[in-house]
């Protein structure tokens, strides 16, 4: 039996609970039993409730009627009382850096970790080193997997890890790694000389929940930069954010506007800027895409808006999808992965894949 304890049952966490429940209720759960043991958010926590909830609805009910005040240290102590830590997976579904700072201590205690939290692997390199050292030096050899940090449910990191383990030489990793920016530029720069303005497309994306509440969080490129750092570090280059050339496409005059509404109201003032970029690309038979480029062969790392010919795989990407290519010694013709790279269910799938992998090793 593998126990799972979830930290942060938001949209992704809820989708994950559904997957675990469906799996456990199916014949697949017989060979590798997985039990959702505990759940905590920032206010409440439940560990092995007497009601033994079996699905998302009963877990929600348990959080209302059987919970105690949240305390992350106490939470992990209680979880450890229900079986060996080597057969327990703590799943951090937050994007909180302070929670990520607990990973080394969790690993030292033998807990396995699965997470979509990019902060753990893209912040200061010291945390990255502590995490890897803790996993390596613990006698039970706990696993820490984070497939969903890049590409959500796409097999990006597992593919990269396999290439590295096989002794391949990673020369370049390049990709469109934001579903939001994929949507924006696939809609805005689609090979046509006319269409909706950039500000109108941002407005549509925001209204449909494709952007963060403040679209500047997407347009700044920082989320893509974090993913690029993870890819570089897994490829063997311990870069920091300062080593990346990061293009923030939020117009400079709007970066410090006081409210999101003010930003949205003023964004049309800069439609000509984006239109000119698009027209230049169009005249060259190209389209605009926001891309992360990890050029290990030349030690150049960037996250920026680039133009690509219409024949390029990045140009023909479906709106909102992610795509990533690996150019290596083995794959001089790039190995390419593409598909949905965002959304609660897709992200939860990536986490659940990590859970299943850990369960298969640790059962």
């Amino acid at each position: 039996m593998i126990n799972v304890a979830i930290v942060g049952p938001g949209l992704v966490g809820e989708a994950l609970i559904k997957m675990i429940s469906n799996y456990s209720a199916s014949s697949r759960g017989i060979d590798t039993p997985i039990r959702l043991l505990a759940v905590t958010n920032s206010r409440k926590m439940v560990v092995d409730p007497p009601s033994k909830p079996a699905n998302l609805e009963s877990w929600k009910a348990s959080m209302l009627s059987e919970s105690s005040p949240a305390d992350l240290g106490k939470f992990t102590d209680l979880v450890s009382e229900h079986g060996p830590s080597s057969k327990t997976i703590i799943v951090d579904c937050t994007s909180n850096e302070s929670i990520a700072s607990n990973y080394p201590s969790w690993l030292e205690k033998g807990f396995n970790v699965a997470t979509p939290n990019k902060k753990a692997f893209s912040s200061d390199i010291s945390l990255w080193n502590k995490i890897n050292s803790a996993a390596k030096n613990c006698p039970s050899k706990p696993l820490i997997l984070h497939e969903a940090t890049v590409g959500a449910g796409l097999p990006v990191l597992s593919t990269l890890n396999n290439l590295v383990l096989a002794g391949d030489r990673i020369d370049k990793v390049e990709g469109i790694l934001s579903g939001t920016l994929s949507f924006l530029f696939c809609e805005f720069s689609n090979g046509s000389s006319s269409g909706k303005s950039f500000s109108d497309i941002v407005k549509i994306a925001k209204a449909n929940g494709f952007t963060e509440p403040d679209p500047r969080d997407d347009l700044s490129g920082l989320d893509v930069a974090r993913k690029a750092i993870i890819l570089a570090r897994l490829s063997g280059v311990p870069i920091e954010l300062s080593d990346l050339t990061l293009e923030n496409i939020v117009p400079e005059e709007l970066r410090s506007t006081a409210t999101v509404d003010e930003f949205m109201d003023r964004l049309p003032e800069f439609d000509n800027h984006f239109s000119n970029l698009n027209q230049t690309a169009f005249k060259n038979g190209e389209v605009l895409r926001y891309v992360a480029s990890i050029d290990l062969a030349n030690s150049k790392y960037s996250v920026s808006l680039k133009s690509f010919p219409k024949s390029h795989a990045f140009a023909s990407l479906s709106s909102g999808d992610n795509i990533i290519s690996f150019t290596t010694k083995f794959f001089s013709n790039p190995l390419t992965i593409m598909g949905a790279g965002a959304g609660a269910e897709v992200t939860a799938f990536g986490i659940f894949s990590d859970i299943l992998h850990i369960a298969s090793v640790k059962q």
Side-chain angles (χ1 to χ4, degrees):
M1 174 73 71
I2 298 295
N3 289 324
V4 172
I6 295 179
V7 179
L11 291 176
V12 172
E14 289 189 357
L16 180 61
I17 290 173
K18 287 182 181 179
M19 289 184 184
I20 293 173
S21 300
N22 291 338
Y23 171 85
S24 299
S26 71
S27 59
R28 294 171 299 144
I30 297 173
D31 294 332
T32 309
I34 296 174
R35 175 175 66 149
L36 179 55
L37 173 69
V39 175
T40 183
N41 57 29
S42 61
R43 297 173 291 104
K44 300 176 180 180
M45 66 182 189
V46 175
V47 180
D48 193 27
S51 62
K52 297 294 185 283
N55 54 43
L56 177 61
E57 289 68 29
S58 56
W59 270 102
K60 285 184 174 180
S62 178
M63 288 290 282
L64 290 173
S65 62
E66 301 176 84
S67 62
S68 57
D71 181 319
L72 194 56
K74 186 177 180 181
F75 179 77
T76 52
D77 288 343
L78 291 172
V79 167
S80 67
E81 295 175 4
H82 291 272
S85 56
S86 62
K87 292 185 178 294
T88 300
I89 306 170
I90 300 179
V91 180
D92 173 20
C93 287
T94 75
S95 60
N96 190 304
E97 190 166 355
S98 66
I99 292 178
S101 68
N102 288 281
Y103 294 1
S105 64
W106 291 348
L107 293 163
E108 287 169 358
K109 294 175 183 177
F111 289 116
N112 304 284
V113 178
T115 181
N117 189 343
K118 290 182 284 292
K119 304 288 177 60
F121 313 98
S122 60
S123 299
D124 191 282
I125 194 69
S126 62
L127 178 56
W128 170 277
N129 291 334
K130 287 178 183 177
I131 289 170
N132 289 326
S133 177
K136 180 180 178 181
N137 294 325
C138 180
S140 64
K141 301 301 178 187
L143 297 176
I144 178 161
L145 300 180
H146 51 102
E147 183 70 78
T149 56
V150 180
L154 297 177
V156 173
L157 300 190
S158 54
T159 298
L160 177 55
N161 278 323
N162 286 338
L163 291 169
V164 172
L165 288 172
D168 199 356
R169 184 192 67 231
I170 311 300
D171 293 329
K172 190 174 187 179
V173 184
E174 192 170 41
I176 297 172
L177 304 177
S178 164
T180 301
L181 293 170
S182 168
F183 174 84
L184 292 177
F185 284 103
C186 285
E187 293 294 313
F188 176 64
S189 185
N190 55 19
S192 170
S193 60
S194 61
K196 292 185 177 68
S197 67
F198 187 72
S199 62
D200 280 343
I201 293 172
V202 173
K203 187 181 299 182
I204 291 168
K206 186 176 186 300
N208 284 278
F210 297 160
T211 71
E212 293 294 326
D214 187 340
R216 287 174 292 186
D217 292 340
D218 299 294
L219 298 173
S220 72
L222 182 57
D223 182 67
V224 178
R226 288 191 177 277
K227 295 175 182 179
I229 289 170
I230 293 169
L231 291 167
R233 289 178 178 177
L234 287 176
S235 298
V237 183
I239 68 170
E240 299 275 19
L241 183 61
S242 58
D243 297 316
L244 276 171
T245 300
L246 172 59
E247 181 179 2
N248 183 346
I249 59 174
V250 178
E252 190 169 353
E253 295 89 335
L254 302 186
R255 293 175 190 175
S256 59
T257 52
T259 67
V260 175
D261 288 342
E262 183 183 354
F263 165 73
M264 295 299 295
D265 288 342
R266 292 192 57 195
L267 187 57
E269 297 173 18
F270 300 88
D271 278 337
N272 284 340
H273 163 70
F274 289 103
S275 178
N276 289 338
L277 293 175
N278 194 30
Q279 287 297 322
T280 299
F282 174 76
K283 290 175 183 177
N284 293 327
E286 299 179 338
V287 295
L288 299 173
R289 298 292 182 262
Y290 195 82
V291 173
S293 179
I294 307 300
D295 187 347
L296 292 96
N298 296 296
S299 300
K300 293 182 178 180
Y301 319 105
S302 66
V303 174
S304 61
L305 189 61
K306 296 182 178 180
S307 59
F308 293 88
K310 295 177 185 178
S311 59
H312 196 283
F314 291 2
S316 58
L317 186 68
S318 296
S319 179
D321 278 0
N322 282 188
I323 185 169
I324 187 165
S325 66
F326 300 98
T327 304
T328 74
K329 179 182 178 182
F330 298 162
F331 293 91
S332 55
N333 183 20
L335 168 62
T336 301
I337 300 169
M338 63 185 294
E345 289 188 346
V346 174
T347 303
F349 167 76
I351 302 167
F352 192 49
S353 297
D354 285 344
I355 290 173
L356 291 174
H357 178 79
I358 293 171
S360 68
V361 174
K362 296 290 184 175
Q363 66 174 326

